[in-house]
Amino acid sequence: IDSNHASLYAAWGKVEAIEHNVELARELFETGLELDPTSTRVYHSWAHLEEKVGNVDTAVELLSKGLEYDSTNTYLWQALGQLALGTKNYDRARECFQHALYDKRENDDLPSVFAYDSYGRMEYTLGNEEKAKQIFLEALDMFPKDIRPMQCLALIEMKRGNMDEARVWSELALRTNQRDSFFWCLLALIEAKVGNIPRARALFKRGSELNSKDAVIWNAWSYMEWQEGNTTTSEKLLRRYFVTKYDIRGDFCILAETMDDSLESSTYSRLLL
């Protein structure tokens, strides 16, 4: 029997899991392991299924079993770290992410970028800002075209009030991916904070043209106009925010409570766990 077929069963099982055919997916994963008991793809995919249906202990067992056959597998360690995060076992999560990133591997296999992302955001959430920044810089060095570390570095510097550095990371992200409306919004917020209102307004406009369903843009733009004293424009934009986020139609009253820290929360949510 060709053991390479185990990967096909892993892929097929993932499809059935997505379709919520849980028992069939389990049967396919079992068949895959019968063909190749060392298949880390099967262990990883099966563990993901068990996590989704609430069987966290089973997921941990499957990932641990897979590591018996490949002790440096970055994806198995990363998945174990995610499970530890879910139970707020941060020490265990840190241990798993470090294995995922720094274990020596054959054939110069790259570590998981998702491990960098989760590890960095965990450290930032725990208050370890410098450690988080170091992790994101390492990620960017390893994956120079991935926008996730760029956005986190921009948000860290923005939170610190280092707008020049935040602008550098945001512009780098935009040059890498001009279709993501979040970065147009983020750069607009940075320009607004340093008082460059015309440029901020142009950036908000461009972001809203790229993705008119991004409620954060309408809210952020509205808030800027409100701060500038342009209440009529602010109200129009805030109405657009309500329509986009809550699908409210017709005449309705604008609520002042939207002018709170919800904008900050939504902006920095990509940095926190």
Side-chain angles (χ1 to χ4, degrees):
I1 300 175
D2 186 356
S3 62
N4 290 328
H5 290 166
S7 295
L8 297 178
Y9 279 93
W12 187 1
K14 286 175 66 175
V15 172
E16 296 299 340
I18 292 172
E19 296 295 325
H20 306 292
N21 300 323
V22 175
E23 291 305 320
L24 177 55
R26 286 188 178 124
E27 291 177 10
L28 292 167
F29 293 140
E30 287 177 356
T31 302
L33 290 181
E34 289 173 3
L35 290 172
D36 181 7
T38 70
S39 175
T40 55
R41 290 188 180 183
V42 175
Y43 286 114
H44 186 271
S45 300
W46 195 349
H48 182 69
L49 166 65
E50 297 300 342
E51 178 197 3
K52 289 298 183 183
V53 298
N55 299 328
V56 176
D57 290 342
T58 302
V60 170
E61 290 176 6
L62 287 164
L63 293 170
S64 300
K65 186 67 175 178
L67 285 168
E68 292 179 11
Y69 299 106
D70 184 358
S71 62
T72 64
N73 187 286
T74 184
Y75 299 104
L76 296 179
W77 279 117
Q78 189 267 335
L80 272 177
Q82 289 295 139
L83 292 176
L85 273 184
T87 59
K88 298 185 178 180
N89 187 344
Y90 300 121
D91 289 337
R92 175 58 174 163
R94 183 179 291 115
E95 176 187 356
C96 292
F97 291 140
Q98 288 175 351
H99 277 296
L101 297 177
Y102 306 124
D103 281 355
K104 185 175 178 57
R105 296 177 174 84
E106 297 179 358
N107 303 321
D108 295 324
D109 289 340
L110 291 176
S112 167
V113 67
F114 302 106
Y116 279 114
D117 186 63
S118 295
Y119 186 19
R121 290 191 295 117
M122 182 191 80
E123 294 294 1
Y124 186 86
T125 302
L126 295 176
N128 304 321
E129 289 189 16
E130 283 302 321
K131 180 64 176 177
K133 183 176 179 179
Q134 175 191 337
I135 293 166
F136 293 131
L137 286 171
E138 289 177 8
L140 196 58
D141 184 59
M142 189 72 67
F143 302 95
K145 296 298 183 181
D146 197 295
I147 62 174
R148 278 164 290 206
M150 299 176 198
Q151 76 174 9
C152 289
L153 287 165
L155 289 168
I156 286 175
E157 298 305 337
M158 185 176 173
K159 191 75 170 178
R160 289 174 167 178
N162 300 331
M163 296 304 161
D164 288 340
E165 288 191 53
R167 183 189 288 114
V168 168
W169 293 120
S170 297
E171 289 178 344
L172 178 60
L174 265 181
R175 288 196 297 271
T176 305
N177 182 4
Q178 296 186 15
R179 303 301 301 174
D180 192 332
S181 59
F182 174 79
F183 292 111
W184 292 94
C185 182
L186 182 60
L187 190 54
L189 285 169
I190 292 169
E191 296 297 347
K193 283 181 178 290
V194 299
N196 195 349
I197 303 304
R199 185 160 193 253
R201 193 173 284 127
L203 290 164
F204 279 131
K205 184 175 186 295
R206 179 56 178 154
S208 66
E209 289 171 348
L210 284 171
N211 184 7
S212 62
K213 295 182 179 180
D214 188 341
V216 173
I217 289 179
W218 300 114
N219 193 26
W221 190 357
S222 170
Y223 186 64
M224 184 193 76
E225 298 294 356
W226 177 73
Q227 288 183 312
E228 291 298 305
N230 303 323
T231 54
T232 301
T233 301
S234 175
E235 181 176 334
K236 289 180 180 177
L237 293 167
L238 195 56
R239 285 180 179 274
R240 188 66 180 267
Y241 163 76
F242 272 98
V243 169
T244 304
K245 186 169 184 178
Y246 302 111
D247 197 28
I248 298 176
R249 304 291 174 177
D251 293 332
F252 55 87
C253 177
I254 298 297
L255 303 178
E257 67 181 9
T258 60
M259 297 298 188
D260 58 16
D261 65 350
S262 62
L263 177 58
E264 293 280 305
S265 299
S266 61
T267 302
Y268 294 114
S269 63
R270 294 196 181 196
L271 180 56
L272 300 170
L273 289 173

